[in-house]
Amino acid sequence: FNVLITGESGTGKSKLAYEIHRVFKPDAPFLEVNCASIPQNLFESELFGYVGGAFTGALERGKAGYFEMAKGGTLFLDEIGEIPVEVQAKLLQVLQSKRLYRLGSSNPTQIDVRVITATNADLTRVIEQGQFRQDLYYRLNVYPIEIPPLRERKQDIYLLINNILQKVC
């Protein structure tokens, strides 16, 4: 099932995503992708990959996308609200069918990937503004987890400090 983690910046969404992965598939790949850092014109090729010659500048041998690289493991899409509207329909199709088409290919590739997404945005508001597909939201929001800010869970400070100190020492 897909997981959508929401919360303010700095609440530990990526840490929680990794822990979910580690509990269920510790030996499988965990691929973290910050959607806000991918240039809009590269989203499709980065997520789904491409075949050689699919576009000017494409590698001759093609390239696997993030979905293929996370095969059998977890793909964590951080800042999911930053995905361009044009790519959202294709992402929805991949999540529904569990297969994708590399750019320039007519042959489907089956995928076996757990998808965890995260955002600090209010996606329901973003949907109302026409910036995010409602059907994609419902596909991603199968198991929602909201992380409250640290100021609302002060009892966690001691645990966090001990964890950080152990790593530093």
PDB file of all heavy atoms in Angstrom, residues 44-81:
ATOM      1  N   GLU A  44       9.910  13.213 -16.166  1.00  0.00           N
ATOM      2  CA  GLU A  44       9.469  11.945 -16.751  1.00  0.00           C
ATOM      3  C   GLU A  44      10.639  10.995 -16.966  1.00  0.00           C
ATOM      4  O   GLU A  44      10.565   9.814 -16.614  1.00  0.00           O
ATOM      5  CB  GLU A  44       8.721  12.205 -18.059  1.00  0.00           C
ATOM      6  CG  GLU A  44       7.894  11.043 -18.486  1.00  0.00           C
ATOM      7  CD  GLU A  44       6.947  11.390 -19.634  1.00  0.00           C
ATOM      8  OE1 GLU A  44       6.683  12.575 -19.874  1.00  0.00           O
ATOM      9  OE2 GLU A  44       6.490  10.441 -20.284  1.00  0.00           O
ATOM     10  N   SER A  45      11.734  11.498 -17.514  1.00  0.00           N
ATOM     11  CA  SER A  45      12.877  10.610 -17.768  1.00  0.00           C
ATOM     12  C   SER A  45      13.529  10.156 -16.467  1.00  0.00           C
ATOM     13  O   SER A  45      14.021   9.033 -16.379  1.00  0.00           O
ATOM     14  CB  SER A  45      13.904  11.287 -18.675  1.00  0.00           C
ATOM     15  OG  SER A  45      14.479  12.412 -18.053  1.00  0.00           O
ATOM     16  N   GLU A  46      13.536  10.982 -15.433  1.00  0.00           N
ATOM     17  CA  GLU A  46      14.134  10.600 -14.158  1.00  0.00           C
ATOM     18  C   GLU A  46      13.277   9.557 -13.430  1.00  0.00           C
ATOM     19  O   GLU A  46      13.802   8.599 -12.879  1.00  0.00           O
ATOM     20  CB  GLU A  46      14.338  11.823 -13.258  1.00  0.00           C
ATOM     21  CG  GLU A  46      15.403  12.775 -13.751  1.00  0.00           C
ATOM     22  CD  GLU A  46      16.787  12.168 -13.760  1.00  0.00           C
ATOM     23  OE1 GLU A  46      17.181  11.564 -12.742  1.00  0.00           O
ATOM     24  OE2 GLU A  46      17.479  12.285 -14.783  1.00  0.00           O
ATOM     25  N   LEU A  47      11.973   9.726 -13.426  1.00  0.00           N
ATOM     26  CA  LEU A  47      11.096   8.778 -12.740  1.00  0.00           C
ATOM     27  C   LEU A  47      10.964   7.456 -13.483  1.00  0.00           C
ATOM     28  O   LEU A  47      11.013   6.387 -12.878  1.00  0.00           O
ATOM     29  CB  LEU A  47       9.701   9.375 -12.539  1.00  0.00           C
ATOM     30  CG  LEU A  47       9.537  10.445 -11.472  1.00  0.00           C
ATOM     31  CD1 LEU A  47       8.099  10.951 -11.454  1.00  0.00           C
ATOM     32  CD2 LEU A  47       9.929   9.935 -10.103  1.00  0.00           C
ATOM     33  N   PHE A  48      10.771   7.531 -14.794  1.00  0.00           N
ATOM     34  CA  PHE A  48      10.413   6.345 -15.563  1.00  0.00           C
ATOM     35  C   PHE A  48      11.520   5.821 -16.464  1.00  0.00           C
ATOM     36  O   PHE A  48      11.405   4.731 -17.014  1.00  0.00           O
ATOM     37  CB  PHE A  48       9.158   6.630 -16.392  1.00  0.00           C
ATOM     38  CG  PHE A  48       8.059   7.256 -15.587  1.00  0.00           C
ATOM     39  CD1 PHE A  48       7.563   8.505 -15.908  1.00  0.00           C
ATOM     40  CD2 PHE A  48       7.513   6.599 -14.491  1.00  0.00           C
ATOM     41  CE1 PHE A  48       6.553   9.085 -15.152  1.00  0.00           C
ATOM     42  CE2 PHE A  48       6.509   7.168 -13.740  1.00  0.00           C
ATOM     43  CZ  PHE A  48       6.022   8.421 -14.068  1.00  0.00           C
ATOM     44  N   GLY A  49      12.590   6.582 -16.633  1.00  0.00           N
ATOM     45  CA  GLY A  49      13.692   6.138 -17.476  1.00  0.00           C
ATOM     46  C   GLY A  49      13.420   6.409 -18.950  1.00  0.00           C
ATOM     47  O   GLY A  49      12.377   6.933 -19.325  1.00  0.00           O
ATOM     48  N   TYR A  50      14.377   6.022 -19.786  1.00  0.00           N
ATOM     49  CA  TYR A  50      14.222   6.215 -21.230  1.00  0.00           C
ATOM     50  C   TYR A  50      15.069   5.197 -21.980  1.00  0.00           C
ATOM     51  O   TYR A  50      15.988   4.612 -21.433  1.00  0.00           O
ATOM     52  CB  TYR A  50      14.598   7.639 -21.644  1.00  0.00           C
ATOM     53  CG  TYR A  50      16.019   8.048 -21.335  1.00  0.00           C
ATOM     54  CD1 TYR A  50      17.064   7.731 -22.202  1.00  0.00           C
ATOM     55  CD2 TYR A  50      16.323   8.751 -20.177  1.00  0.00           C
ATOM     56  CE1 TYR A  50      18.361   8.103 -21.923  1.00  0.00           C
ATOM     57  CE2 TYR A  50      17.617   9.134 -19.888  1.00  0.00           C
ATOM     58  CZ  TYR A  50      18.634   8.816 -20.766  1.00  0.00           C
ATOM     59  OH  TYR A  50      19.919   9.183 -20.484  1.00  0.00           O
ATOM     60  N   VAL A  51      14.698   5.000 -23.247  1.00  0.00           N
ATOM     61  CA  VAL A  51      15.478   4.137 -24.123  1.00  0.00           C
ATOM     62  C   VAL A  51      16.461   4.998 -24.902  1.00  0.00           C
ATOM     63  O   VAL A  51      16.264   6.220 -25.010  1.00  0.00           O
ATOM     64  CB  VAL A  51      14.572   3.321 -25.089  1.00  0.00           C
ATOM     65  CG1 VAL A  51      13.689   2.366 -24.314  1.00  0.00           C
ATOM     66  CG2 VAL A  51      13.747   4.236 -25.965  1.00  0.00           C
ATOM     67  N   GLY A  52      17.511   4.372 -25.434  1.00  0.00           N
ATOM     68  CA  GLY A  52      18.499   5.109 -26.206  1.00  0.00           C
ATOM     69  C   GLY A  52      17.865   5.853 -27.362  1.00  0.00           C
ATOM     70  O   GLY A  52      16.999   5.329 -28.054  1.00  0.00           O
ATOM     71  N   GLY A  53      18.279   7.106 -27.558  1.00  0.00           N
ATOM     72  CA  GLY A  53      17.772   7.912 -28.662  1.00  0.00           C
ATOM     73  C   GLY A  53      16.388   8.483 -28.446  1.00  0.00           C
ATOM     74  O   GLY A  53      15.783   9.016 -29.371  1.00  0.00           O
ATOM     75  N   ALA A  54      15.843   8.403 -27.250  1.00  0.00           N
ATOM     76  CA  ALA A  54      14.485   8.895 -26.980  1.00  0.00           C
ATOM     77  C   ALA A  54      14.384  10.405 -27.154  1.00  0.00           C
ATOM     78  O   ALA A  54      13.327  10.919 -27.499  1.00  0.00           O
ATOM     79  CB  ALA A  54      14.033   8.497 -25.577  1.00  0.00           C
ATOM     80  N   PHE A  55      15.485  11.111 -26.935  1.00  0.00           N
ATOM     81  CA  PHE A  55      15.495  12.563 -27.087  1.00  0.00           C
ATOM     82  C   PHE A  55      16.932  13.009 -27.292  1.00  0.00           C
ATOM     83  O   PHE A  55      17.874  12.237 -27.074  1.00  0.00           O
ATOM     84  CB  PHE A  55      14.862  13.269 -25.871  1.00  0.00           C
ATOM     85  CG  PHE A  55      15.438  12.852 -24.548  1.00  0.00           C
ATOM     86  CD1 PHE A  55      16.570  13.469 -24.021  1.00  0.00           C
ATOM     87  CD2 PHE A  55      14.849  11.827 -23.821  1.00  0.00           C
ATOM     88  CE1 PHE A  55      17.095  13.077 -22.805  1.00  0.00           C
ATOM     89  CE2 PHE A  55      15.373  11.428 -22.597  1.00  0.00           C
ATOM     90  CZ  PHE A  55      16.499  12.051 -22.082  1.00  0.00           C
ATOM     91  N   THR A  56      17.120  14.229 -27.717  1.00  0.00           N
ATOM     92  CA  THR A  56      18.454  14.763 -27.937  1.00  0.00           C
ATOM     93  C   THR A  56      19.218  14.759 -26.627  1.00  0.00           C
ATOM     94  O   THR A  56      18.734  15.233 -25.611  1.00  0.00           O
ATOM     95  CB  THR A  56      18.371  16.209 -28.481  1.00  0.00           C
ATOM     96  OG1 THR A  56      17.570  16.205 -29.660  1.00  0.00           O
ATOM     97  CG2 THR A  56      19.749  16.762 -28.791  1.00  0.00           C
ATOM     98  N   GLY A  57      20.399  14.180 -26.637  1.00  0.00           N
ATOM     99  CA  GLY A  57      21.226  14.116 -25.438  1.00  0.00           C
ATOM    100  C   GLY A  57      21.023  12.852 -24.614  1.00  0.00           C
ATOM    101  O   GLY A  57      21.695  12.661 -23.611  1.00  0.00           O
ATOM    102  N   ALA A  58      20.114  11.995 -25.049  1.00  0.00           N
ATOM    103  CA  ALA A  58      19.872  10.743 -24.322  1.00  0.00           C
ATOM    104  C   ALA A  58      21.056   9.803 -24.500  1.00  0.00           C
ATOM    105  O   ALA A  58      21.681   9.755 -25.564  1.00  0.00           O
ATOM    106  CB  ALA A  58      18.600  10.068 -24.836  1.00  0.00           C
ATOM    107  N   LEU A  59      21.363   9.060 -23.450  1.00  0.00           N
ATOM    108  CA  LEU A  59      22.436   8.066 -23.542  1.00  0.00           C
ATOM    109  C   LEU A  59      22.052   7.001 -24.564  1.00  0.00           C
ATOM    110  O   LEU A  59      20.880   6.618 -24.659  1.00  0.00           O
ATOM    111  CB  LEU A  59      22.666   7.406 -22.177  1.00  0.00           C
ATOM    112  CG  LEU A  59      23.123   8.309 -21.037  1.00  0.00           C
ATOM    113  CD1 LEU A  59      23.149   7.529 -19.721  1.00  0.00           C
ATOM    114  CD2 LEU A  59      24.488   8.899 -21.327  1.00  0.00           C
ATOM    115  N   GLU A  60      23.033   6.501 -25.311  1.00  0.00           N
ATOM    116  CA  GLU A  60      22.760   5.484 -26.334  1.00  0.00           C
ATOM    117  C   GLU A  60      22.132   4.228 -25.762  1.00  0.00           C
ATOM    118  O   GLU A  60      21.275   3.605 -26.367  1.00  0.00           O
ATOM    119  CB  GLU A  60      24.060   5.106 -27.055  1.00  0.00           C
ATOM    120  CG  GLU A  60      24.378   5.970 -28.229  1.00  0.00           C
ATOM    121  CD  GLU A  60      25.598   5.451 -28.977  1.00  0.00           C
ATOM    122  OE1 GLU A  60      25.674   4.226 -29.220  1.00  0.00           O
ATOM    123  OE2 GLU A  60      26.444   6.283 -29.317  1.00  0.00           O
ATOM    124  N   ARG A  61      22.565   3.837 -24.586  1.00  0.00           N
ATOM    125  CA  ARG A  61      22.056   2.602 -23.976  1.00  0.00           C
ATOM    126  C   ARG A  61      20.763   2.833 -23.184  1.00  0.00           C
ATOM    127  O   ARG A  61      20.214   1.895 -22.610  1.00  0.00           O
ATOM    128  CB  ARG A  61      23.122   1.980 -23.091  1.00  0.00           C
ATOM    129  CG  ARG A  61      23.504   2.831 -21.900  1.00  0.00           C
ATOM    130  CD  ARG A  61      24.660   2.227 -21.111  1.00  0.00           C
ATOM    131  NE  ARG A  61      25.032   3.038 -19.983  1.00  0.00           N
ATOM    132  CZ  ARG A  61      25.745   4.147 -20.019  1.00  0.00           C
ATOM    133  NH1 ARG A  61      26.179   4.604 -21.187  1.00  0.00           N
ATOM    134  NH2 ARG A  61      26.029   4.815 -18.924  1.00  0.00           N
ATOM    135  N   GLY A  62      20.323   4.088 -23.091  1.00  0.00           N
ATOM    136  CA  GLY A  62      19.142   4.396 -22.305  1.00  0.00           C
ATOM    137  C   GLY A  62      19.486   4.516 -20.833  1.00  0.00           C
ATOM    138  O   GLY A  62      20.658   4.461 -20.453  1.00  0.00           O
ATOM    139  N   LYS A  63      18.472   4.658 -20.016  1.00  0.00           N
ATOM    140  CA  LYS A  63      18.702   4.827 -18.586  1.00  0.00           C
ATOM    141  C   LYS A  63      17.480   4.361 -17.814  1.00  0.00           C
ATOM    142  O   LYS A  63      16.347   4.653 -18.189  1.00  0.00           O
ATOM    143  CB  LYS A  63      18.973   6.302 -18.272  1.00  0.00           C
ATOM    144  CG  LYS A  63      19.227   6.586 -16.813  1.00  0.00           C
ATOM    145  CD  LYS A  63      19.431   8.072 -16.583  1.00  0.00           C
ATOM    146  CE  LYS A  63      19.425   8.320 -15.088  1.00  0.00           C
ATOM    147  NZ  LYS A  63      18.921   9.612 -14.738  1.00  0.00           N
ATOM    148  N   ALA A  64      17.723   3.625 -16.739  1.00  0.00           N
ATOM    149  CA  ALA A  64      16.633   3.215 -15.858  1.00  0.00           C
ATOM    150  C   ALA A  64      16.185   4.425 -15.042  1.00  0.00           C
ATOM    151  O   ALA A  64      16.994   5.272 -14.666  1.00  0.00           O
ATOM    152  CB  ALA A  64      17.095   2.107 -14.921  1.00  0.00           C
ATOM    153  N   GLY A  65      14.901   4.487 -14.767  1.00  0.00           N
ATOM    154  CA  GLY A  65      14.372   5.552 -13.927  1.00  0.00           C
ATOM    155  C   GLY A  65      14.357   5.132 -12.467  1.00  0.00           C
ATOM    156  O   GLY A  65      14.729   4.008 -12.106  1.00  0.00           O
ATOM    157  N   TYR A  66      13.919   6.037 -11.616  1.00  0.00           N
ATOM    158  CA  TYR A  66      13.899   5.772 -10.179  1.00  0.00           C
ATOM    159  C   TYR A  66      13.040   4.563  -9.823  1.00  0.00           C
ATOM    160  O   TYR A  66      13.378   3.797  -8.922  1.00  0.00           O
ATOM    161  CB  TYR A  66      13.420   6.995  -9.407  1.00  0.00           C
ATOM    162  CG  TYR A  66      14.365   8.173  -9.488  1.00  0.00           C
ATOM    163  CD1 TYR A  66      13.902   9.443  -9.797  1.00  0.00           C
ATOM    164  CD2 TYR A  66      15.722   8.016  -9.247  1.00  0.00           C
ATOM    165  CE1 TYR A  66      14.760  10.522  -9.864  1.00  0.00           C
ATOM    166  CE2 TYR A  66      16.589   9.092  -9.324  1.00  0.00           C
ATOM    167  CZ  TYR A  66      16.100  10.344  -9.624  1.00  0.00           C
ATOM    168  OH  TYR A  66      16.956  11.415  -9.697  1.00  0.00           O
ATOM    169  N   PHE A  67      11.921   4.379 -10.521  1.00  0.00           N
ATOM    170  CA  PHE A  67      11.062   3.229 -10.226  1.00  0.00           C
ATOM    171  C   PHE A  67      11.810   1.920 -10.456  1.00  0.00           C
ATOM    172  O   PHE A  67      11.735   1.006  -9.641  1.00  0.00           O
ATOM    173  CB  PHE A  67       9.786   3.254 -11.079  1.00  0.00           C
ATOM    174  CG  PHE A  67       8.688   4.065 -10.486  1.00  0.00           C
ATOM    175  CD1 PHE A  67       8.528   5.400 -10.826  1.00  0.00           C
ATOM    176  CD2 PHE A  67       7.806   3.506  -9.574  1.00  0.00           C
ATOM    177  CE1 PHE A  67       7.507   6.155 -10.279  1.00  0.00           C
ATOM    178  CE2 PHE A  67       6.784   4.247  -9.018  1.00  0.00           C
ATOM    179  CZ  PHE A  67       6.636   5.588  -9.367  1.00  0.00           C
ATOM    180  N   GLU A  68      12.539   1.824 -11.544  1.00  0.00           N
ATOM    181  CA  GLU A  68      13.286   0.603 -11.832  1.00  0.00           C
ATOM    182  C   GLU A  68      14.460   0.424 -10.871  1.00  0.00           C
ATOM    183  O   GLU A  68      14.761  -0.692 -10.459  1.00  0.00           O
ATOM    184  CB  GLU A  68      13.799   0.611 -13.266  1.00  0.00           C
ATOM    185  CG  GLU A  68      12.706   0.404 -14.292  1.00  0.00           C
ATOM    186  CD  GLU A  68      13.265   0.411 -15.695  1.00  0.00           C
ATOM    187  OE1 GLU A  68      13.790  -0.645 -16.116  1.00  0.00           O
ATOM    188  OE2 GLU A  68      13.181   1.461 -16.359  1.00  0.00           O
ATOM    189  N   MET A  69      15.100   1.507 -10.495  1.00  0.00           N
ATOM    190  CA  MET A  69      16.255   1.412  -9.585  1.00  0.00           C
ATOM    191  C   MET A  69      15.836   0.948  -8.192  1.00  0.00           C
ATOM    192  O   MET A  69      16.634   0.357  -7.473  1.00  0.00           O
ATOM    193  CB  MET A  69      16.975   2.756  -9.501  1.00  0.00           C
ATOM    194  CG  MET A  69      17.737   3.094 -10.764  1.00  0.00           C
ATOM    195  SD  MET A  69      18.811   4.538 -10.551  1.00  0.00           S
ATOM    196  CE  MET A  69      17.679   5.870 -10.901  1.00  0.00           C
ATOM    197  N   ALA A  70      14.593   1.208  -7.817  1.00  0.00           N
ATOM    198  CA  ALA A  70      14.100   0.812  -6.492  1.00  0.00           C
ATOM    199  C   ALA A  70      13.460  -0.573  -6.512  1.00  0.00           C
ATOM    200  O   ALA A  70      12.818  -0.981  -5.548  1.00  0.00           O
ATOM    201  CB  ALA A  70      13.098   1.841  -5.986  1.00  0.00           C
ATOM    202  N   LYS A  71      13.652  -1.319  -7.576  1.00  0.00           N
ATOM    203  CA  LYS A  71      13.008  -2.624  -7.765  1.00  0.00           C
ATOM    204  C   LYS A  71      13.064  -3.503  -6.511  1.00  0.00           C
ATOM    205  O   LYS A  71      14.129  -3.749  -5.954  1.00  0.00           O
ATOM    206  CB  LYS A  71      13.671  -3.355  -8.925  1.00  0.00           C
ATOM    207  CG  LYS A  71      13.025  -4.671  -9.257  1.00  0.00           C
ATOM    208  CD  LYS A  71      13.713  -5.331 -10.436  1.00  0.00           C
ATOM    209  CE  LYS A  71      13.020  -6.634 -10.777  1.00  0.00           C
ATOM    210  NZ  LYS A  71      13.605  -7.255 -11.953  1.00  0.00           N
ATOM    211  N   GLY A  72      11.891  -3.963  -6.088  1.00  0.00           N
ATOM    212  CA  GLY A  72      11.796  -4.835  -4.930  1.00  0.00           C
ATOM    213  C   GLY A  72      11.892  -4.110  -3.597  1.00  0.00           C
ATOM    214  O   GLY A  72      11.773  -4.717  -2.545  1.00  0.00           O
ATOM    215  N   GLY A  73      12.094  -2.798  -3.639  1.00  0.00           N
ATOM    216  CA  GLY A  73      12.268  -2.025  -2.415  1.00  0.00           C
ATOM    217  C   GLY A  73      11.270  -0.890  -2.299  1.00  0.00           C
ATOM    218  O   GLY A  73      10.089  -1.044  -2.627  1.00  0.00           O
ATOM    219  N   THR A  74      11.781   0.249  -1.861  1.00  0.00           N
ATOM    220  CA  THR A  74      10.938   1.406  -1.592  1.00  0.00           C
ATOM    221  C   THR A  74      11.429   2.612  -2.375  1.00  0.00           C
ATOM    222  O   THR A  74      12.620   2.914  -2.389  1.00  0.00           O
ATOM    223  CB  THR A  74      10.967   1.751  -0.084  1.00  0.00           C
ATOM    224  OG1 THR A  74      10.532   0.609   0.653  1.00  0.00           O
ATOM    225  CG2 THR A  74      10.070   2.927   0.231  1.00  0.00           C
ATOM    226  N   LEU A  75      10.485   3.302  -3.002  1.00  0.00           N
ATOM    227  CA  LEU A  75      10.758   4.582  -3.645  1.00  0.00           C
ATOM    228  C   LEU A  75      10.094   5.653  -2.795  1.00  0.00           C
ATOM    229  O   LEU A  75       8.871   5.650  -2.628  1.00  0.00           O
ATOM    230  CB  LEU A  75      10.211   4.606  -5.074  1.00  0.00           C
ATOM    231  CG  LEU A  75      10.379   5.917  -5.835  1.00  0.00           C
ATOM    232  CD1 LEU A  75      11.851   6.293  -5.973  1.00  0.00           C
ATOM    233  CD2 LEU A  75       9.723   5.816  -7.210  1.00  0.00           C
ATOM    234  N   PHE A  76      10.903   6.549  -2.223  1.00  0.00           N
ATOM    235  CA  PHE A  76      10.390   7.622  -1.387  1.00  0.00           C
ATOM    236  C   PHE A  76      10.426   8.913  -2.185  1.00  0.00           C
ATOM    237  O   PHE A  76      11.492   9.404  -2.540  1.00  0.00           O
ATOM    238  CB  PHE A  76      11.217   7.747  -0.107  1.00  0.00           C
ATOM    239  CG  PHE A  76      10.848   8.939   0.736  1.00  0.00           C
ATOM    240  CD1 PHE A  76       9.534   9.172   1.112  1.00  0.00           C
ATOM    241  CD2 PHE A  76      11.821   9.814   1.168  1.00  0.00           C
ATOM    242  CE1 PHE A  76       9.199  10.270   1.890  1.00  0.00           C
ATOM    243  CE2 PHE A  76      11.500  10.906   1.957  1.00  0.00           C
ATOM    244  CZ  PHE A  76      10.185  11.134   2.313  1.00  0.00           C
ATOM    245  N   LEU A  77       9.253   9.442  -2.492  1.00  0.00           N
ATOM    246  CA  LEU A  77       9.131  10.679  -3.249  1.00  0.00           C
ATOM    247  C   LEU A  77       8.814  11.811  -2.275  1.00  0.00           C
ATOM    248  O   LEU A  77       7.670  11.998  -1.859  1.00  0.00           O
ATOM    249  CB  LEU A  77       8.030  10.554  -4.307  1.00  0.00           C
ATOM    250  CG  LEU A  77       8.243   9.473  -5.363  1.00  0.00           C
ATOM    251  CD1 LEU A  77       7.019   9.328  -6.254  1.00  0.00           C
ATOM    252  CD2 LEU A  77       9.487   9.782  -6.193  1.00  0.00           C
ATOM    253  N   ASP A  78       9.853  12.555  -1.907  1.00  0.00           N
ATOM    254  CA  ASP A  78       9.704  13.670  -0.977  1.00  0.00           C
ATOM    255  C   ASP A  78       9.245  14.903  -1.761  1.00  0.00           C
ATOM    256  O   ASP A  78       9.630  15.092  -2.908  1.00  0.00           O
ATOM    257  CB  ASP A  78      11.039  13.938  -0.281  1.00  0.00           C
ATOM    258  CG  ASP A  78      10.890  14.781   0.959  1.00  0.00           C
ATOM    259  OD1 ASP A  78       9.753  15.043   1.390  1.00  0.00           O
ATOM    260  OD2 ASP A  78      11.923  15.189   1.518  1.00  0.00           O
ATOM    261  N   GLU A  79       8.451  15.724  -1.123  1.00  0.00           N
ATOM    262  CA  GLU A  79       7.873  16.918  -1.743  1.00  0.00           C
ATOM    263  C   GLU A  79       7.074  16.544  -2.998  1.00  0.00           C
ATOM    264  O   GLU A  79       7.236  17.116  -4.069  1.00  0.00           O
ATOM    265  CB  GLU A  79       8.955  17.951  -2.066  1.00  0.00           C
ATOM    266  CG  GLU A  79       9.700  18.450  -0.852  1.00  0.00           C
ATOM    267  CD  GLU A  79       8.821  19.045   0.246  1.00  0.00           C
ATOM    268  OE1 GLU A  79       7.694  19.500  -0.044  1.00  0.00           O
ATOM    269  OE2 GLU A  79       9.246  19.026   1.406  1.00  0.00           O
ATOM    270  N   ILE A  80       6.191  15.576  -2.840  1.00  0.00           N
ATOM    271  CA  ILE A  80       5.377  15.063  -3.953  1.00  0.00           C
ATOM    272  C   ILE A  80       4.527  16.154  -4.602  1.00  0.00           C
ATOM    273  O   ILE A  80       4.212  16.078  -5.782  1.00  0.00           O
ATOM    274  CB  ILE A  80       4.496  13.870  -3.483  1.00  0.00           C
ATOM    275  CG1 ILE A  80       3.818  13.178  -4.661  1.00  0.00           C
ATOM    276  CG2 ILE A  80       3.465  14.322  -2.463  1.00  0.00           C
ATOM    277  CD1 ILE A  80       4.752  12.479  -5.592  1.00  0.00           C
ATOM    278  N   GLY A  81       4.181  17.175  -3.861  1.00  0.00           N
ATOM    279  CA  GLY A  81       3.376  18.262  -4.414  1.00  0.00           C
ATOM    280  C   GLY A  81       4.087  19.065  -5.484  1.00  0.00           C
ATOM    281  O   GLY A  81       3.465  19.863  -6.181  1.00  0.00           O
TER     282      GLY A  81
END
